[in-house]
PDB file of all heavy atoms in Angstrom:
ATOM      1  N   LEU A 785      -4.746 -17.251   5.662  1.00  0.00           N
ATOM      2  CA  LEU A 785      -3.649 -18.090   6.114  1.00  0.00           C
ATOM      3  C   LEU A 785      -2.903 -18.647   4.913  1.00  0.00           C
ATOM      4  O   LEU A 785      -3.488 -19.004   3.906  1.00  0.00           O
ATOM      5  CB  LEU A 785      -4.131 -19.266   6.987  1.00  0.00           C
ATOM      6  CG  LEU A 785      -5.130 -18.962   8.091  1.00  0.00           C
ATOM      7  CD1 LEU A 785      -5.605 -20.239   8.757  1.00  0.00           C
ATOM      8  CD2 LEU A 785      -4.490 -18.034   9.103  1.00  0.00           C
ATOM      9  N   THR A 786      -1.547 -18.719   5.049  1.00  0.00           N
ATOM     10  CA  THR A 786      -0.724 -19.336   4.025  1.00  0.00           C
ATOM     11  C   THR A 786       0.074 -20.448   4.690  1.00  0.00           C
ATOM     12  O   THR A 786       0.790 -20.209   5.645  1.00  0.00           O
ATOM     13  CB  THR A 786       0.239 -18.324   3.390  1.00  0.00           C
ATOM     14  OG1 THR A 786      -0.522 -17.239   2.832  1.00  0.00           O
ATOM     15  CG2 THR A 786       1.038 -18.964   2.286  1.00  0.00           C
ATOM     16  N   LEU A 787      -0.062 -21.664   4.167  1.00  0.00           N
ATOM     17  CA  LEU A 787       0.633 -22.818   4.694  1.00  0.00           C
ATOM     18  C   LEU A 787       1.467 -23.440   3.575  1.00  0.00           C
ATOM     19  O   LEU A 787       1.008 -23.474   2.405  1.00  0.00           O
ATOM     20  CB  LEU A 787      -0.352 -23.875   5.279  1.00  0.00           C
ATOM     21  CG  LEU A 787      -1.247 -23.386   6.403  1.00  0.00           C
ATOM     22  CD1 LEU A 787      -2.634 -23.104   5.844  1.00  0.00           C
ATOM     23  CD2 LEU A 787      -1.352 -24.428   7.487  1.00  0.00           C
ATOM     24  N   VAL A 788       2.653 -23.887   3.930  1.00  0.00           N
ATOM     25  CA  VAL A 788       3.546 -24.426   2.879  1.00  0.00           C
ATOM     26  C   VAL A 788       4.206 -25.714   3.348  1.00  0.00           C
ATOM     27  O   VAL A 788       4.392 -25.962   4.544  1.00  0.00           O
ATOM     28  CB  VAL A 788       4.665 -23.428   2.500  1.00  0.00           C
ATOM     29  CG1 VAL A 788       4.066 -22.136   1.927  1.00  0.00           C
ATOM     30  CG2 VAL A 788       5.558 -23.151   3.682  1.00  0.00           C
ATOM     31  N   ASP A 789       4.460 -26.591   2.387  1.00  0.00           N
ATOM     32  CA  ASP A 789       5.372 -27.699   2.568  1.00  0.00           C
ATOM     33  C   ASP A 789       6.504 -27.475   1.596  1.00  0.00           C
ATOM     34  O   ASP A 789       6.372 -27.776   0.384  1.00  0.00           O
ATOM     35  CB  ASP A 789       4.646 -29.012   2.301  1.00  0.00           C
ATOM     36  CG  ASP A 789       5.539 -30.252   2.605  1.00  0.00           C
ATOM     37  OD1 ASP A 789       6.778 -30.120   2.461  1.00  0.00           O
ATOM     38  OD2 ASP A 789       5.014 -31.313   2.929  1.00  0.00           O
ATOM     39  N   ALA A 790       7.611 -26.941   2.083  1.00  0.00           N
ATOM     40  CA  ALA A 790       8.708 -26.565   1.212  1.00  0.00           C
ATOM     41  C   ALA A 790       9.357 -27.751   0.541  1.00  0.00           C
ATOM     42  O   ALA A 790       9.757 -27.722  -0.618  1.00  0.00           O
ATOM     43  CB  ALA A 790       9.763 -25.757   1.999  1.00  0.00           C
ATOM     44  N   ASN A 791       9.406 -28.870   1.246  1.00  0.00           N
ATOM     45  CA  ASN A 791       9.990 -30.068   0.698  1.00  0.00           C
ATOM     46  C   ASN A 791       9.166 -30.634  -0.451  1.00  0.00           C
ATOM     47  O   ASN A 791       9.697 -31.090  -1.449  1.00  0.00           O
ATOM     48  CB  ASN A 791      10.183 -31.122   1.767  1.00  0.00           C
ATOM     49  CG  ASN A 791      11.203 -30.713   2.820  1.00  0.00           C
ATOM     50  OD1 ASN A 791      12.203 -30.034   2.496  1.00  0.00           O
ATOM     51  ND2 ASN A 791      11.014 -31.152   4.039  1.00  0.00           N
ATOM     52  N   ALA A 792       7.872 -30.608  -0.267  1.00  0.00           N
ATOM     53  CA  ALA A 792       6.965 -31.180  -1.308  1.00  0.00           C
ATOM     54  C   ALA A 792       6.684 -30.162  -2.403  1.00  0.00           C
ATOM     55  O   ALA A 792       6.174 -30.505  -3.454  1.00  0.00           O
ATOM     56  CB  ALA A 792       5.648 -31.631  -0.657  1.00  0.00           C
ATOM     57  N   GLY A 793       6.991 -28.881  -2.185  1.00  0.00           N
ATOM     58  CA  GLY A 793       6.717 -27.873  -3.165  1.00  0.00           C
ATOM     59  C   GLY A 793       5.229 -27.536  -3.315  1.00  0.00           C
ATOM     60  O   GLY A 793       4.724 -27.432  -4.438  1.00  0.00           O
ATOM     61  N   ILE A 794       4.552 -27.420  -2.177  1.00  0.00           N
ATOM     62  CA  ILE A 794       3.112 -27.161  -2.203  1.00  0.00           C
ATOM     63  C   ILE A 794       2.813 -25.973  -1.254  1.00  0.00           C
ATOM     64  O   ILE A 794       3.331 -25.880  -0.124  1.00  0.00           O
ATOM     65  CB  ILE A 794       2.305 -28.394  -1.738  1.00  0.00           C
ATOM     66  CG1 ILE A 794       2.486 -29.524  -2.763  1.00  0.00           C
ATOM     67  CG2 ILE A 794       0.823 -28.043  -1.571  1.00  0.00           C
ATOM     68  CD1 ILE A 794       1.962 -29.220  -4.153  1.00  0.00           C
ATOM     69  N   GLN A 795       1.949 -25.067  -1.719  1.00  0.00           N
ATOM     70  CA  GLN A 795       1.466 -23.960  -0.887  1.00  0.00           C
ATOM     71  C   GLN A 795      -0.073 -24.009  -0.926  1.00  0.00           C
ATOM     72  O   GLN A 795      -0.687 -24.215  -1.972  1.00  0.00           O
ATOM     73  CB  GLN A 795       1.940 -22.652  -1.456  1.00  0.00           C
ATOM     74  CG  GLN A 795       1.318 -21.427  -0.786  1.00  0.00           C
ATOM     75  CD  GLN A 795       1.737 -20.137  -1.436  1.00  0.00           C
ATOM     76  OE1 GLN A 795       2.804 -19.598  -1.179  1.00  0.00           O
ATOM     77  NE2 GLN A 795       0.913 -19.634  -2.323  1.00  0.00           N
ATOM     78  N   VAL A 796      -0.683 -23.768   0.248  1.00  0.00           N
ATOM     79  CA  VAL A 796      -2.125 -23.682   0.324  1.00  0.00           C
ATOM     80  C   VAL A 796      -2.485 -22.339   0.972  1.00  0.00           C
ATOM     81  O   VAL A 796      -1.950 -22.009   2.074  1.00  0.00           O
ATOM     82  CB  VAL A 796      -2.713 -24.834   1.153  1.00  0.00           C
ATOM     83  CG1 VAL A 796      -4.254 -24.667   1.312  1.00  0.00           C
ATOM     84  CG2 VAL A 796      -2.416 -26.182   0.507  1.00  0.00           C
ATOM     85  N   ARG A 797      -3.319 -21.568   0.333  1.00  0.00           N
ATOM     86  CA  ARG A 797      -3.896 -20.376   0.911  1.00  0.00           C
ATOM     87  C   ARG A 797      -5.326 -20.661   1.297  1.00  0.00           C
ATOM     88  O   ARG A 797      -6.105 -21.182   0.486  1.00  0.00           O
ATOM     89  CB  ARG A 797      -3.826 -19.209  -0.095  1.00  0.00           C
ATOM     90  CG  ARG A 797      -2.418 -18.720  -0.395  1.00  0.00           C
ATOM     91  CD  ARG A 797      -2.479 -17.505  -1.347  1.00  0.00           C
ATOM     92  NE  ARG A 797      -1.150 -17.024  -1.695  1.00  0.00           N
ATOM     93  CZ  ARG A 797      -0.438 -16.179  -0.976  1.00  0.00           C
ATOM     94  NH1 ARG A 797      -0.934 -15.706   0.163  1.00  0.00           N
ATOM     95  NH2 ARG A 797       0.757 -15.788  -1.366  1.00  0.00           N
ATOM     96  N   ALA A 798      -5.666 -20.270   2.521  1.00  0.00           N
ATOM     97  CA  ALA A 798      -7.030 -20.451   3.002  1.00  0.00           C
ATOM     98  C   ALA A 798      -7.569 -19.146   3.505  1.00  0.00           C
ATOM     99  O   ALA A 798      -6.867 -18.420   4.218  1.00  0.00           O
ATOM    100  CB  ALA A 798      -7.037 -21.521   4.115  1.00  0.00           C
ATOM    101  N   THR A 799      -8.812 -18.887   3.129  1.00  0.00           N
ATOM    102  CA  THR A 799      -9.510 -17.660   3.613  1.00  0.00           C
ATOM    103  C   THR A 799     -10.777 -18.102   4.325  1.00  0.00           C
ATOM    104  O   THR A 799     -11.555 -18.867   3.755  1.00  0.00           O
ATOM    105  CB  THR A 799      -9.835 -16.737   2.471  1.00  0.00           C
ATOM    106  OG1 THR A 799      -8.634 -16.345   1.780  1.00  0.00           O
ATOM    107  CG2 THR A 799     -10.544 -15.483   2.994  1.00  0.00           C
ATOM    108  N   LEU A 800     -10.927 -17.677   5.543  1.00  0.00           N
ATOM    109  CA  LEU A 800     -12.137 -17.928   6.336  1.00  0.00           C
ATOM    110  C   LEU A 800     -12.797 -16.610   6.675  1.00  0.00           C
ATOM    111  O   LEU A 800     -12.117 -15.698   7.183  1.00  0.00           O
ATOM    112  CB  LEU A 800     -11.806 -18.679   7.634  1.00  0.00           C
ATOM    113  CG  LEU A 800     -11.071 -20.012   7.486  1.00  0.00           C
ATOM    114  CD1 LEU A 800      -9.564 -19.818   7.626  1.00  0.00           C
ATOM    115  CD2 LEU A 800     -11.559 -21.027   8.517  1.00  0.00           C
ATOM    116  N   ALA A 801     -14.072 -16.457   6.289  1.00  0.00           N
ATOM    117  CA  ALA A 801     -14.766 -15.196   6.515  1.00  0.00           C
ATOM    118  C   ALA A 801     -16.120 -15.459   7.137  1.00  0.00           C
ATOM    119  O   ALA A 801     -16.914 -16.263   6.656  1.00  0.00           O
ATOM    120  CB  ALA A 801     -14.920 -14.478   5.202  1.00  0.00           C
ATOM    121  N   LEU A 802     -16.350 -14.766   8.258  1.00  0.00           N
ATOM    122  CA  LEU A 802     -17.705 -14.803   8.874  1.00  0.00           C
ATOM    123  C   LEU A 802     -18.488 -13.609   8.306  1.00  0.00           C
ATOM    124  O   LEU A 802     -18.125 -12.491   8.486  1.00  0.00           O
ATOM    125  CB  LEU A 802     -17.606 -14.677  10.421  1.00  0.00           C
ATOM    126  CG  LEU A 802     -17.515 -15.973  11.210  1.00  0.00           C
ATOM    127  CD1 LEU A 802     -17.389 -15.652  12.703  1.00  0.00           C
ATOM    128  CD2 LEU A 802     -18.708 -16.872  10.973  1.00  0.00           C
ATOM    129  N   GLU A 803     -19.593 -13.951   7.613  1.00  0.00           N
ATOM    130  CA  GLU A 803     -20.414 -12.917   7.041  1.00  0.00           C
ATOM    131  C   GLU A 803     -21.330 -12.254   8.070  1.00  0.00           C
ATOM    132  O   GLU A 803     -21.478 -12.797   9.171  1.00  0.00           O
ATOM    133  CB  GLU A 803     -21.259 -13.543   5.906  1.00  0.00           C
ATOM    134  CG  GLU A 803     -20.452 -14.084   4.765  1.00  0.00           C
ATOM    135  CD  GLU A 803     -19.761 -12.945   4.025  1.00  0.00           C
ATOM    136  OE1 GLU A 803     -20.446 -12.106   3.420  1.00  0.00           O
ATOM    137  OE2 GLU A 803     -18.508 -12.924   4.027  1.00  0.00           O
ATOM    138  N   PRO A 804     -21.939 -11.127   7.751  1.00  0.00           N
ATOM    139  CA  PRO A 804     -22.835 -10.464   8.718  1.00  0.00           C
ATOM    140  C   PRO A 804     -23.986 -11.400   9.224  1.00  0.00           C
ATOM    141  O   PRO A 804     -24.441 -11.222  10.327  1.00  0.00           O
ATOM    142  CB  PRO A 804     -23.385  -9.289   7.903  1.00  0.00           C
ATOM    143  CG  PRO A 804     -22.292  -8.933   6.970  1.00  0.00           C
ATOM    144  CD  PRO A 804     -21.700 -10.256   6.566  1.00  0.00           C
ATOM    145  N   SER A 805     -24.335 -12.420   8.416  1.00  0.00           N
ATOM    146  CA  SER A 805     -25.392 -13.349   8.807  1.00  0.00           C
ATOM    147  C   SER A 805     -24.863 -14.379   9.787  1.00  0.00           C
ATOM    148  O   SER A 805     -25.655 -15.139  10.360  1.00  0.00           O
ATOM    149  CB  SER A 805     -25.958 -14.050   7.595  1.00  0.00           C
ATOM    150  OG  SER A 805     -24.974 -14.927   7.041  1.00  0.00           O
ATOM    151  N   GLY A 806     -23.521 -14.482   9.979  1.00  0.00           N
ATOM    152  CA  GLY A 806     -22.955 -15.536  10.756  1.00  0.00           C
ATOM    153  C   GLY A 806     -22.558 -16.733   9.940  1.00  0.00           C
ATOM    154  O   GLY A 806     -22.011 -17.715  10.462  1.00  0.00           O
ATOM    155  N   LEU A 807     -22.828 -16.713   8.616  1.00  0.00           N
ATOM    156  CA  LEU A 807     -22.437 -17.795   7.718  1.00  0.00           C
ATOM    157  C   LEU A 807     -20.918 -17.761   7.533  1.00  0.00           C
ATOM    158  O   LEU A 807     -20.355 -16.683   7.270  1.00  0.00           O
ATOM    159  CB  LEU A 807     -23.149 -17.647   6.384  1.00  0.00           C
ATOM    160  CG  LEU A 807     -23.093 -18.814   5.426  1.00  0.00           C
ATOM    161  CD1 LEU A 807     -23.855 -20.052   5.977  1.00  0.00           C
ATOM    162  CD2 LEU A 807     -23.619 -18.456   4.072  1.00  0.00           C
ATOM    163  N   LEU A 808     -20.291 -18.897   7.673  1.00  0.00           N
ATOM    164  CA  LEU A 808     -18.823 -19.004   7.475  1.00  0.00           C
ATOM    165  C   LEU A 808     -18.546 -19.431   6.042  1.00  0.00           C
ATOM    166  O   LEU A 808     -19.033 -20.444   5.594  1.00  0.00           O
ATOM    167  CB  LEU A 808     -18.257 -20.017   8.470  1.00  0.00           C
ATOM    168  CG  LEU A 808     -16.766 -20.331   8.318  1.00  0.00           C
ATOM    169  CD1 LEU A 808     -15.947 -19.123   8.649  1.00  0.00           C
ATOM    170  CD2 LEU A 808     -16.376 -21.534   9.188  1.00  0.00           C
ATOM    171  N   LEU A 809     -17.711 -18.657   5.375  1.00  0.00           N
ATOM    172  CA  LEU A 809     -17.289 -18.984   3.981  1.00  0.00           C
ATOM    173  C   LEU A 809     -15.821 -19.381   4.047  1.00  0.00           C
ATOM    174  O   LEU A 809     -14.971 -18.688   4.633  1.00  0.00           O
ATOM    175  CB  LEU A 809     -17.417 -17.728   3.100  1.00  0.00           C
ATOM    176  CG  LEU A 809     -18.778 -17.466   2.435  1.00  0.00           C
ATOM    177  CD1 LEU A 809     -19.913 -17.410   3.464  1.00  0.00           C
ATOM    178  CD2 LEU A 809     -18.725 -16.181   1.659  1.00  0.00           C
TER     179      LEU A 809
END
């Protein structure tokens, strides 16, 4: 996911991954 606040000049990239064990990274 990519989220931005254009007015504040900030971008956040988030990666969520469910591993084969079911552990969320």
Side-chain angles (χ1 to χ4, degrees):
L785 311 176
T786 303
L787 301 101
V788 299
D789 185 330
N791 293 328
I794 295 298
Q795 173 186 277
V796 177
R797 292 184 182 274
T799 301
L800 302 95
L802 270 178
E803 295 294 295
S805 69
L807 191 67
L808 174 66
L809 277 53

